[in-house]
Amino acid sequence: MILVTGGAGFIGANFVLDWIDTNNEGVINLDKLTYAGNLENLASLKDNKLHHFVQGDIGDSALVERLLSEHQPRAIVNFAAESHVDRSIHSPEDFIQTNIVGTFRLLEAARTYWSGLTGTKKTEFRFLHVSTDEVYGSLTKNEPAFTELHRYEPNSPYSASKAASDHLVRSYHHTYGLPVLTTNCSNNYGPYHFPEKLIPLMIVNALAGKLLPVYGDGQQIRDWLYVKDHCSAIRRVLEAGRLGEVYNIGGWNEKANLDIVNTVCALLDELRPRPDKKHYKEQITYVADRPGHDRRYAIDARKLERELGWKPAETFDTGIRKTVQWYLDNQGWLNNVLSGSYKQWVEKNYAERN
Ligand code: NAD
Ligand code: DAU
């Protein structure tokens, strides 16, 4: 089996669901269940013997050591993180604790466990660290997309904490020989995306008749990848990635934020028209920009395509349609998410922007 951390969050849950579906191999899912962790994401695995959920912190060394020694996983896939840039601007401390200290403790536990393995169990063990394109900083309009060789230039407490974790992972390979792999992916979207992030926030607000808050001029560019394509890329890197290597993951889908919001609005006009027959885009409003807002991200995924033959299955058009439809079909999931501490976050983040 494998140990997945952060497997109750957006990407982690999609990964666990797809893993059990495609690999028929067990998963120990270690997740702290912060505001972003949600066991409802894993409801379809309720009686599935391949899924073993443990609530806990990657920074809890005793717990992680016990799990490793009891279950003897052949790999660790580390998704656990604080992931929202705006929250890192309001309260960076949690990002330092989980993304840096937590990853360090997880690496230490992995090193101790791996050192005690022998034979093929040792040579085949892998530690895959899931990271982000944000560590590379911001691109101007005409600069080429980020390759794996791009300098690290993180600009937010979130991206700085992820950059620090990437460096720790690298150092554990270089110094101790721990068999690590790192992936740096662009913006994901799809089912179970927490509605603090751009796409699900716009769907939720649009349906509730609320304003659609676009930061600054809305011309910041992100490179979008359907979450299940991110998961297939991670499976492929885990299977065949070269030890110590970094793989950028992306789907060549650069879009300005305003175009994303307009696309979501147009899909909702088609799939769930407003009762008054007006267009959802009339709800768009411009609000104060994110401090230090990165202007453009773009991923060059050619290394992954060339070396490991990976390709995304979805285009942006097919992926965004599936996503909007998923939110329309999963109102129960959404209502539960929206009823919690979510409201306080929305008040805190948007009140000061208006
Ligand atoms: P998320 O915020 O939706 O989920 C994070 C999960 O980690 C939650 O279930 C949370 O409970 C758990 N967690 C947080 N702190 C923990 C701790 N100390 N111990 C154990 N579990 C903990 O995040 P996501 O969007 O699914 O991102 C997952 C990973 O992918 C992160 O490492 C993120 O940096 C990376 N990533 C995200 C994107 C994206 O677009 N969302 C893109 C590239 C990379
Ligand atoms: O690039 C990968 C990263 O993508 C991941 O590492 C992060 O974990 C993930 O959260 C995401 O970061 P972003 O900051 O790009 O995502 P977010 O959805 O928060 O914002 C996307 C863009 O939309 C960004 O330019 C800010 C803008 N935005 C966001 C919100 C929430 C708005 O204009 N209005 C909003 O209300």
Side-chain angles (χ1 to χ4, degrees), residues 9-11 31-32 34 37 57-58 79 83 98 131 158 162 188:
F10 163 47
I11 307 174
D31 194 296
K32 190 176 173 183
T34 66
D57 193 322
I58 55 166
F79 290 94
S83 69
T98 285
S131 193
Y158 163 68
K162 289 296 290 186
N188 285 214

Side-chain angles (χ1 to χ4, degrees), residues 167-215:
H167 291 323
L168 283 167
V169 170
R170 178 191 154 87
S171 77
Y172 270 64
H173 178 67
H174 194 78
T175 305
Y176 305 111
L178 189 71
V180 306
L181 298 154
T182 298
T183 55
N184 292 83
C185 189
S186 60
N187 282 63
N188 285 214
Y189 67 101
Y192 306 113
H193 205 179
F194 194 80
E196 63 187 353
K197 309 280 168 64
L198 180 73
I199 289 179
L201 181 107
M202 293 300 161
I203 298 172
V204 165
N205 278 18
L207 293 174
K210 294 183 180 161
L211 292 172
L212 308 179
V214 172
Y215 295 170

